[in-house]
Amino acid sequence: MNFERALLCGLGNTGSALLPLLAALPGLREVVLVDRDRIERANLACQAGLTAADVGRSKARVHARRLRGLRPGLKVVAYEQDLARIPLGEWHGALVAGCLDNNEARVVLNAGAFRARAALLLDLGVRADNRLARVSVLHPCRAGSACLECSWSEADYSPARHACAPPAPASGASAALGALAASLAMLEIEKLRDSALEPVAREVVVCADSHEIFSSALHRRSACRFEHSALNLSTAPLSLDATTLGEFFHLASVRGATAMRVEGRFYHPPLSCSAGCGGRLAPGFRPRGGGGVCQVCGRPSAGAAAFQCQTVLAQAEWPPLLGIPLSRLGLRDRDVITLAAADGQPSSFLITLTSS
Ligand SMILES: [Zn+2]
Ligand SMILES: [Zn+2]
């Protein structure tokens, strides 16, 4: 296995330790970093690569700068937002490493990796109370392979594993424990890179308290809460600024398309301004209820926008939008557009930017 793109989700105790190891991976051309949090003083003791001057700064931006310093020439993309808000196409074909501190985010991580066909999914975890470091190694492109949730029990969905209002409670894990989990993950990557062996979904746990190592193969479970579906994905290189929605439909050439959606986004119709200025909010695909501003008075959208938005845009609503460039409809590099056709499987298109 060779990896050209990596998606590193979470830059705390384990993610900050994995970053310099990933930076040394031969063949890597692009790394995407995701973390919505800012650096707190308490992070300095248990997270790698930080200085006192970083307190208050965005984790994604600080570690992006660190990564560029470690490996000049690497393309680095930083998202300072929730994992659920980044374009689904970021998972496609990528080495995905989840360094998260709650299972709500892990559900997003798992769904993205399997729906968009990541090359490899690693999920890291630490537990401070008995000094456990864990890595789960999953193969989203292998037919019938286990997903992350296949081995979860009801307790794994309990509110205690849910993300609390930010900031999430600190795990209390030391930097050494985070580095242990990161090393386990990186060694699994190196083994997959160097060997022609059949990749197996596996969980490896090291308990530093009892000096025990546990390893188990992971199997797909039909009662799993995730539906194990993958998109029928093809790549559509185009210019978001120059290509209109109508031109995209022409390029996609899906016969008899009846509806479209942008994965992970909601279509907001051109609502009237809630401030009563007579203006309208531009239509577009955005996070639920978010992002739209009045074209006349500039006020942001009110609660009605969250109520009126929809995931699917039916063909009858397309005509007024056909002449609008995709960027003005809120589309971003690596967003995925899915077209449903009356007679067959939906087709999904990963938008990648051309240089023009
Ligand atoms: Zn599953
Ligand atoms: Zn207005």
Side-chain angles (χ1 to χ4, degrees), residues 273 275 277 279 294 296-299:
C273 173
C277 78
C294 172
V296 174
C297 73
R299 285 201 176 85

Side-chain angles (χ1 to χ4, degrees), residues 163-234:
C164 302
S171 66
S174 71
L177 194 56
L180 178 58
S183 292
L184 286 174
M186 197 62 212
L187 289 166
E188 293 301 314
I189 295 169
E190 290 179 3
K191 280 159 58 184
L192 286 165
R193 185 198 61 199
D194 296 340
S195 118
L197 288 175
E198 190 90 332
V200 175
R202 182 167 290 284
E203 179 184 84
V204 181
V205 178
V206 172
C207 176
D209 270 4
S210 66
H211 302 141
E212 285 174 291
I213 299 173
F214 309 91
S215 167
S216 52
L218 301 174
H219 301 286
R220 182 168 291 189
R221 194 168 53 98
S222 55
C224 176
R225 289 200 191 182
F226 178 60
E227 76 274 24
H228 305 121
S229 64
L231 297 176
N232 171 24
L233 201 59
S234 51

